[in-house]
Amino acid sequence: MRLSNIRTIFEKEVRDQVRDKRTLFMVFVLPVLLYPILGLCMLQFTTAFEQKPRLVVMVGAEFLPKTPRLLDDRGKAFLPALFDTPSESARLGVETQPATSEWSHKEFRGAALRDGRADAIVIVPGDVAGRLEKESQSATIPIEYFSTKEQSQVTYLRVREVLARWKEQIVQERLERANKPASFVAPVASQATDVASAVEAGAGLWARLFPFLLVIMALTGAFYPSIDLCAGEKERGTMETLLISPASRAEIVLGKFLTVMLASMLTALFNIVSMAVTGFFLVARAGLGDGAERAVASVMAPPTVAAATWMVLLLIPVAMFFSAVCVALAVLAKSMKEGQYYMTPLYLVSLPLIFLTLMPGIELNLFYSMVPISGVSLLLRSLILGEYDKARQFSLFVLVPTVLYALVALRWAIDQFEREDVLFRESERFDLGLWVRHLIRDREPTPTGGEALFCFAVMISLSWFISLAIGGSGNPLIEMVAGHLGFILLPPVLMALLLTSSPRRTLRLNMPSVGYLVLAALLAPALNPLVRELGAVIDHLFPLPEARRELIQKMTGEIPNLAVGILVFALIPSITEEFAFRGFILSGLRKGQRLRSALFFSAFLFGFMHVLLSVYQQLFPATILGVVLGLLAVRSDSILPGIVFHFINNSLAVVTPALTSSTGGLGRFLFRDATNGLYNPIIVVLSAGVSIVLLGLLFRGLRSRAVE
């Protein structure tokens, strides 16, 4: 790979983007125009919202006591003394209606609230004055409002606050008549003190806002350039000229990737600068406006230098990740219109991951640090809040996976760029009749990669619907068996019958040699001590939530005997999951892809399914075992060795509690920690040695088969 070629491609693509009006507008012009307009609009809209008077209709105002007073002398507003400032009283108008008017009817009041003739209605009971004069009695004053209208909700909250202060005056009068001090009814008073400085309070705001802006800006900046550089070149017919240049396919992809990354970073930076300038403008104007404008200006105040610095630094890995993913998706598109269709799911996936960081109680830990997008957002939040110890602890666990995800996406883009059927694919029009005839007449022996991913998506979707359908059966074992048969086994079998001409080849329903069955039977118990050690480490780093632990204990408590446990947790999952992942999905992913990529991707999907359907602590063990199971399936060209391995591995998990409960010599010889099922060190060492030998035999067999 030559850097000179990459630089040439990069400079060429940058020049093309600079000449494109749409790119210049999105990167340079839009941020300069957008945020000042938004800032001014927020000031005007908020001011108008605050200054518009709210109307409170008081039915039966003639029943109010003379002291303490609730309304002013005119009866058109609440007493100004009940507000923090007199100006607030003018924003809450009062219209009095007699108790004998049509406002006494509930249906009329409801229609008035819905039509906007009143924002809130206070109903004064006829005996309120008499009840308040008696110190042993109290009165209830109903307040009606329309919760679906924000204006009515705000009015209700203000009226409730006014009545609370009026109640305090009534209590004070009662205390004076009884010659009691104020502490008689309030022996304990709490006083809240916010120790956060103004700078820290502003940092708290930007810590919630900045991660969202970082993701959206970086994704938006990579969105359009990636489509233009890949799908746009196909549409313009200039891709062929680029392919015959001395640059290799990988060098072309890297040049385009660097261009998209530059556009992503520039878009984010110009948005940050424009937001900062708008914030300075609002702060300068705050001294000239009223309280509403000051509130908005305090919210829109520019971020601190430290917050802006951290955002710029973390922008690099985020832009790298989104640029790689966008380029990989854009390569698949034939036209710019099709490219936009491919990019839309990226937005739909990114938004929940960023909204996750806004939920209360979500903090940066080892698990979230490795989640794409969420990890970077939580790290940025910790840095802005000054939690440097936590940020230092998890920074590598955030940055390394993010860069790794970007490299995987970039590798995928290079692989797609090397496929002629992807680069020169013709535009397709969907016709249901032609598609059905194609399924029947032109079926291939094995599925495509897209069909394999679609099968995985169908499995996950069916798991949701089946869990809703059988969730109330009361027996978790029945639910588990029905789920494995319904959403893990059924979709790959049906799709193999409908979409392929050779279901047996697709599902690898071949009889392997005895050697592979023996290898699988030996490898499963050999790896089990290592898997247990890995599980203990993961359980220490990612403790299982107590609710999930209780659910697992409840499920295991339903097992009547060991045979049923092996059937439900070992035999059925080993068959259904091998049919799905080492059968249909792995066969589809192998078509047009490198064997290594297909193995690791199918193993990741296998681990990811356990995260969605079980606990996220199983991601790493299931993915590692998925690689071993994939090697067994590819080497033997059969799913039977995988079923044997899977069955023995799961059976050991079922019978281990029975072994650890043994107080005899066998239990002490095997386990050093009976509670967690951890083996003695000598057994772990022997397990590692035997596993290396067996995996070496399996890998050498894979290499020889790949050469053939």
Side-chain angles (χ1 to χ4, degrees):
M1 187 174 296
R2 292 159 292 184
L3 295 179
S4 59
N5 286 344
I6 298 176
R7 185 182 63 184
T8 301
I9 298 294
F10 172 70
E11 293 173 350
K12 175 257 182 190
E13 300 295 357
V14 170
R15 284 195 300 268
D16 290 344
Q17 291 300 301
V18 171
R19 294 168 184 164
D20 184 58
K21 296 180 180 179
R22 291 170 299 181
T23 302
L24 293 178
F25 178 80
M26 291 295 298
V27 175
F28 299 104
V29 180
L30 183 60
V32 176
L33 299 178
L34 178 63
Y35 293 103
I37 295 175
L38 287 178
L40 291 173
C41 291
M42 288 182 63
L43 281 177
Q44 297 300 326
F45 292 158
T46 306
T47 303
F49 181 80
E50 291 289 337
Q51 292 180 351
K52 183 179 179 181
R54 301 326 191 249
L55 179 60
V56 179
V57 175
M58 186 168 291
V59 182
E62 64 270 18
F63 301 134
L64 288 173
K66 297 186 180 301
T67 59
R69 293 165 54 193
L70 179 60
L71 303 179
D72 62 4
D73 296 334
R74 299 180 304 149
K76 299 296 184 183
F78 290 104
L79 199 67
L82 299 175
F83 296 87
D84 293 330
T85 60
S87 61
E88 294 183 15
S89 175
R91 297 176 183 171
L92 203 61
V94 176
E95 178 183 323
T96 58
Q97 295 289 344
T100 57
S101 66
E102 56 188 358
W103 289 86
S104 61
H105 302 293
K106 184 176 181 180
E107 294 78 8
F108 182 85
R109 295 195 302 268
L113 288 171
R114 290 180 173 86
D115 297 340
R117 286 176 286 168
D119 296 312
I121 300 175
V122 178
I123 305 167
V124 182
D127 60 345
V128 63
R131 296 180 69 88
L132 293 180
E133 288 179 359
K134 299 177 182 179
E135 297 181 358
S136 61
Q137 295 185 2
S138 62
T140 300
I141 300 179
I143 306 174
E144 295 180 354
Y145 68 103
F146 194 45
S147 61
T148 59
K149 286 186 178 180
E150 184 178 0
Q151 183 170 317
S152 182
Q153 268 190 326
V154 173
T155 306
Y156 159 71
L157 295 175
R158 290 183 176 179
V159 172
R160 191 177 65 174
E161 183 180 357
V162 169
L163 292 180
R165 294 186 179 184
W166 185 53
K167 180 191 72 174
E168 294 175 359
Q169 293 185 357
I170 296 174
V171 172
Q172 183 64 31
E173 285 191 358
R174 288 183 175 183
L175 292 174
E176 291 176 357
R177 289 197 299 266
N179 197 22
K180 299 288 186 180
S183 60
F184 182 78
V185 295
V188 178
S190 62
Q191 182 179 1
T193 302
D194 187 4
V195 299
S197 63
V199 175
E200 291 172 330
L205 170 67
W206 288 109
R208 294 188 295 270
L209 184 59
F210 256 7
F212 178 80
L213 296 175
L214 180 73
V215 172
I216 295 301
M217 293 173 186
L219 179 54
T220 302
F223 187 97
Y224 292 102
S226 61
I227 295 176
D228 182 68
L229 293 179
C230 298
E233 285 217 75
K234 294 181 183 180
E235 199 171 31
R236 293 189 295 268
T238 58
M239 181 66 75
E240 291 81 355
T241 305
L242 190 61
L243 294 176
I244 63 175
S245 66
S248 65
R249 302 289 176 92
E251 294 167 350
I252 294 174
V253 173
L254 288 176
K256 292 180 178 292
F257 161 74
L258 293 176
T259 305
V260 175
M261 184 175 174
L262 177 64
S264 176
M265 295 183 63
L266 287 178
T267 301
L269 288 175
F270 271 90
N271 277 271
I272 295 172
V273 172
S274 181
M275 288 178 58
V277 173
T278 304
F280 280 118
F281 169 78
L282 293 176
V283 170
R285 182 172 172 174
L288 304 177
D290 59 6
E293 289 191 350
R294 290 191 181 95
V296 178
S298 64
V299 173
M300 292 294 295
T304 62
V305 176
T309 302
W310 287 122
M311 185 173 184
V312 172
L313 291 177
L314 288 179
L315 175 62
I316 298 175
V318 174
M320 180 180 180
F321 170 75
F322 279 123
S323 300
V325 174
C326 287
V327 169
L329 292 175
V331 170
L332 298 174
K334 174 64 178 179
S335 62
M336 297 188 66
K337 181 179 179 181
E338 185 178 337
Q340 294 178 6
Y341 293 150
Y342 290 161
M343 295 297 179
T344 300
L346 183 59
Y347 270 105
L348 299 179
V349 172
S350 301
L351 289 179
L353 292 176
I354 185 60
F355 286 145
L356 174 68
T357 63
L358 302 178
M359 297 176 60
I362 301 297
E363 299 290 340
L364 181 63
N365 56 31
L366 192 57
F367 173 74
Y368 288 123
S369 64
M370 290 182 285
V371 177
I373 302 174
S374 299
V376 177
S377 301
L378 292 172
L379 177 61
L380 177 59
R381 187 176 74 179
S382 298
L383 290 170
I384 294 176
L385 293 175
E387 300 173 348
Y388 296 113
D389 291 337
K390 180 185 292 187
R392 189 182 304 111
Q393 179 182 1
F394 297 107
S395 58
L396 286 179
F397 295 101
V398 173
L399 299 177
V400 172
T402 301
V403 174
L404 181 62
Y405 301 148
L407 293 177
V408 171
L410 200 57
R411 177 71 256 180
W412 180 38
I414 294 174
D415 290 342
Q416 299 300 317
F417 221 80
E418 292 176 347
R419 294 176 54 186
E420 302 294 329
D421 58 329
V422 173
L423 291 179
F424 303 108
R425 179 174 60 86
E426 295 294 333
S427 298
E428 301 172 355
R429 290 183 177 273
F430 180 76
D431 183 275
L432 181 60
L434 292 176
W435 182 70
V436 172
R437 286 195 294 271
H438 168 72
L439 288 180
I440 299 175
R441 183 184 58 192
D442 303 325
R443 291 181 297 178
E444 297 184 5
T446 58
T448 63
E451 292 169 344
L453 295 178
F454 180 72
C455 177
F456 178 77
V458 170
M459 290 164 52
I460 300 302
S461 300
L462 281 179
S463 69
W464 169 260
F465 293 108
I466 292 179
S467 63
L468 292 178
I470 65 175
S473 65
N475 192 327
L477 299 182
I478 296 177
E479 296 175 9
M480 183 174 178
V481 172
H484 271 276
L485 297 177
F487 65 79
I488 294 183
L489 180 62
L490 188 60
V493 172
L494 288 180
M495 293 182 70
L497 294 173
L498 294 175
L499 302 179
T500 67
S501 61
S502 178
R504 178 177 179 178
R505 178 179 170 184
T506 297
L507 299 176
R508 303 180 190 276
L509 301 179
N510 304 313
M511 181 58 65
S513 65
V514 178
Y516 299 134
L517 297 175
V518 173
L519 181 62
L522 294 176
L523 193 56
L527 285 174
N528 188 259
L530 301 178
V531 173
R532 286 280 179 178
E533 295 294 328
L534 178 61
V537 173
I538 293 175
D539 190 58
H540 174 72
L541 297 176
F542 311 108
L544 192 66
E546 190 62 30
R548 179 66 68 173
R549 193 182 300 274
E550 293 177 358
L551 181 63
I552 295 176
Q553 292 176 353
K554 177 184 177 181
M555 180 178 293
T556 55
E558 296 287 339
I559 302 177
N561 52 62
L562 193 60
V564 174
I566 292 177
L567 173 66
V568 174
F569 291 97
L571 181 59
I572 293 177
S574 64
I575 296 175
T576 59
E577 292 175 4
E578 292 309 304
F579 265 81
F581 288 94
R582 261 61 64 180
F584 191 89
I585 292 178
L586 182 57
S587 297
L589 294 177
R590 281 200 64 182
K591 181 173 292 186
Q593 300 292 336
R594 297 183 179 184
L595 179 58
R596 186 186 301 111
S597 301
L599 284 174
F600 282 104
F601 192 31
S602 64
F604 171 76
L605 293 179
F606 181 63
F608 189 61
M609 185 201 67
H610 284 77
V611 172
L612 296 178
L613 304 183
S614 182
V615 293
Y616 63 80
Q617 286 83 356
Q618 292 190 7
L619 174 62
F620 298 109
T623 301
I624 294 173
L625 292 179
V627 174
V628 177
L629 290 167
L631 287 171
L632 284 170
V634 171
R635 181 65 183 93
S636 64
D637 196 24
S638 172
I639 62 170
L640 291 182
I643 292 176
V644 171
F645 179 97
H646 206 147
F647 172 74
I648 296 176
N649 179 78
N650 288 16
S651 297
L652 289 174
V654 175
V655 302
T656 295
L659 293 176
T660 56
S661 62
S662 173
T663 57
L666 180 61
R668 290 193 299 270
F669 172 75
L670 291 177
F671 303 102
R672 73 178 189 274
D673 185 350
T675 303
N676 297 314
L678 299 180
Y679 292 82
N680 284 317
I682 185 63
I683 297 180
V684 176
V685 173
L686 291 175
S687 167
V690 174
S691 298
I692 291 174
V693 174
L694 295 178
L695 289 174
L697 293 174
L698 184 60
F699 183 71
R700 283 200 302 271
L702 173 65
R703 293 185 59 186
S704 64
R705 186 178 185 85
V707 172
E708 294 174 3

